[in-house]
Amino acid sequence: MASPIKLSKADARRALVKHQFAPCATQMEAFERLRSIQFDPIAPIGCNHDLVLQARVPGYRIGDWEKTAYEDRQIYDGWDKQASLVPFEGWPWRRIFHKWHRGHFQKIFEEFPEAVTAILKDLEERGPLMPKECGFQEKKAEWKSHWSSPNVTKRVLRALWHTGQVMTAGRRKGQHLYDLAERLVPAHLYRLPMMEDEDAVRELVAERHRAVGLLRFSAPMELWSYKVYAGPRAAAIERLIEMGELVPVDVEGIKAHATPQLLSNLDSPSPAPRVTFVAPLDQLLWDRKMVAHLFDFDYAWEIYIPEAKRRWGYYVLPVLFGDAMVARAEFWCRDGVLEVRSWHFEPGDPGPSFLIELERALQDLMAYCSAVKIVTGPGVDPIIRDLT
């Protein structure tokens, strides 16, 4: 195997930022680059998937993705790194998730065969349907907990969803509207035979690298969907290197693999620096050890940490200026008011043009969340307060 290409942190950082945040003309251009976007329903200022798109698609507004998913049918709700929005072209190799998930959900199918039959028949005859609209309704009081529903219908539908038999046809107030997969997946993709596991795993590994641009082999297991273990992952990476789709690199002591597309950014000039508010589950942050190495920036999403133990806040976004992490900010938007709840500068001076670019970015953020007013919380740095 060829020796890894040596990269400085500065070069890797510039290439990675260009790869991630070069503006996209459309949502689908962003999906083409990112391969999928993690779906999360918590929405202090739009959801994670909204924030990922606003960082790349000028003029994007909260909820614009729904038309792309449910009217244009260019993307679908499916499983990838976690629950995600995925371009339909990725359906063939992501069907391996359905196979993997079947073992986990087999108990539901075995214990409630009459529910499975009735729900699938309902969807065939009357779909799409919300769980409460299905004819079969049953609850198991012993199932009720903080994390799970006692509703058998919901459990069965989620089992069918995870195994690729039903899909999300739309949403009503955030709730899934289900229909048969064969009605929603483009026919030319639905009819394809299942890929061999080795081929599907190799494509998934390639997708992760395309999405980020630069990944360590030992990046966290959730990035590999908890299923692509070290052995198959190593075999896939070796084959992708042979195919010219990945290149071994060494970034000042950290070994990783880069895509040729990312490396091509090394030869292009850096754009004028702009301020970007980065989503908590953004592709840039998937490999946080690499982020810490490149940007000297340790990021933790503290949403599930008890308030008394949080260092930065509930839903804090990294603030990127050019190729430097310069601050952490928490925003909240309700009833047309965008609130800057907290702002913490990183050490160092971001430079004289930062405040000009920040003012422009805050105006764009107001448009994104349809705010007509911006306010700051108590204790926010006076420099930021003066901009609002």
Side-chain angles (χ1 to χ4, degrees):
M1 184 179 296
S3 298
I5 294 174
K6 300 283 188 178
L7 296 178
S8 68
K9 291 182 186 180
D11 282 344
R13 189 169 59 242
R14 284 194 293 268
L16 185 59
V17 168
K18 280 189 277 187
H19 175 76
Q20 285 294 332
F21 297 111
C24 298
T26 65
Q27 288 183 54
M28 287 314 299
E29 185 179 333
F31 276 102
E32 174 64 25
R33 182 188 304 162
L34 299 174
R35 314 311 299 159
S36 69
I37 297 176
Q38 189 166 340
F39 188 102
D40 188 89
I42 299 169
I45 181 167
C47 299
N48 176 77
H49 40 284
D50 289 306
L51 287 163
V52 169
L53 288 165
Q54 67 80 31
R56 295 166 173 86
V57 185
Y60 178 86
R61 302 290 186 268
I62 290 173
D64 281 355
W65 66 273
E66 294 193 46
K67 179 178 184 297
T68 307
Y70 305 133
E71 295 181 30
D72 301 340
R73 299 290 179 198
Q74 293 180 294
I75 58 176
Y76 68 94
D77 279 88
W79 194 260
D80 196 44
K81 176 175 173 281
Q82 296 284 316
S84 299
L85 301 173
V86 187
F88 266 110
E89 67 180 85
W91 165 268
W93 46 90
R94 287 177 176 84
R95 289 178 67 192
I96 196 170
F97 292 134
H98 306 153
K99 179 179 177 180
W100 288 338
H101 290 164
R102 189 163 190 91
H104 178 78
F105 290 100
Q106 190 61 33
K107 186 177 180 181
I108 291 286
F109 297 141
E110 291 175 353
E111 289 187 5
F112 301 99
E114 72 288 351
V116 172
T117 300
I119 290 168
L120 287 174
K121 188 172 187 294
D122 251 0
L123 289 174
E124 182 180 4
E125 295 176 351
R126 302 191 293 117
L129 298 171
M130 295 183 70
K132 66 181 180 181
E133 295 171 333
C134 292
F136 182 95
Q137 296 292 332
E138 183 179 339
K139 292 186 177 181
K140 296 284 186 182
E142 63 271 23
W143 285 358
K144 189 172 184 179
S145 72
H146 177 68
W147 291 106
S148 59
S149 167
N151 189 307
V152 175
T153 303
K154 286 185 177 180
R155 291 278 195 101
V156 169
L157 280 165
R158 291 311 288 169
L160 293 168
W161 185 90
H162 276 284
T163 55
Q165 298 175 71
V166 307
M167 296 180 70
T168 306
R171 288 177 183 260
R172 292 180 189 161
K173 297 182 178 179
Q175 301 300 306
H176 289 265
L177 185 66
Y178 293 99
D179 206 349
L180 300 176
E182 63 195 67
R183 289 180 179 154
L184 300 177
V185 181
H188 70 283
L189 296 176
Y190 190 80
R191 290 194 297 263
L192 290 174
M194 280 285 292
M195 293 177 69
E196 296 292 331
D197 286 7
E198 181 181 348
D199 296 333
V201 166
R202 185 174 63 251
E203 194 57 40
L204 287 174
V205 171
E207 289 278 85
R208 293 296 183 270
H209 286 85
R210 292 170 192 143
V212 181
L214 178 69
L215 279 179
R216 296 176 304 121
F217 177 82
S218 56
M221 274 305 292
E222 65 264 23
L223 195 150
W224 311 109
S225 307
Y226 296 103
K227 287 291 189 179
V228 183
Y229 300 115
R233 189 161 72 247
I237 288 174
E238 182 178 358
R239 179 66 182 126
L240 290 166
I241 292 171
E242 292 172 356
M243 296 167 65
E245 294 192 30
L246 290 181
V247 179
V249 297
D250 184 319
V251 187
E252 296 190 24
I254 295 286
K255 289 182 168 54
H257 297 92
T259 62
Q261 291 78 11
L262 178 128
L263 294 175
S264 70
N265 289 324
L266 296 169
D267 299 322
S268 61
S270 295
R274 66 184 178 97
V275 170
T276 303
F277 302 114
V278 182
L281 302 173
D282 194 283
Q283 269 81 339
L284 180 69
L285 303 175
W286 280 4
D287 188 354
R288 291 180 186 172
K289 185 173 180 178
M290 180 62 87
V291 169
H293 183 64
L294 296 181
F295 294 89
D296 193 23
F297 184 84
D298 290 311
Y299 178 71
W301 196 29
E302 298 181 318
I303 192 167
Y304 298 115
I305 296 175
E307 184 174 0
K309 296 183 178 181
R310 291 177 193 144
R311 183 180 179 189
W312 305 109
Y314 172 72
Y315 203 97
V316 170
L317 309 182
V319 181
L320 185 70
F321 180 51
D323 60 10
M325 294 291 191
V326 298
R328 305 163 196 258
E330 182 170 14
F331 299 98
W332 196 268
C333 188
R334 291 292 184 274
D335 301 320
V337 179
L338 172 62
E339 179 186 1
V340 185
R341 289 197 160 182
S342 68
W343 185 282
H344 305 275
F345 276 110
E346 289 291 289
D349 181 0
S353 64
F354 171 69
L355 291 180
I356 296 171
E357 292 303 318
L358 175 59
E359 186 172 15
R360 182 179 293 122
L362 288 172
Q363 291 171 352
D364 290 343
L365 195 65
M366 289 179 68
Y368 151 79
C369 62
S370 300
V372 295
K373 180 181 179 182
I374 183 168
V375 299
T376 54
V380 170
D381 193 304
I383 294 174
I384 304 304
R385 193 159 55 244
D386 289 346
L387 286 178
T388 64

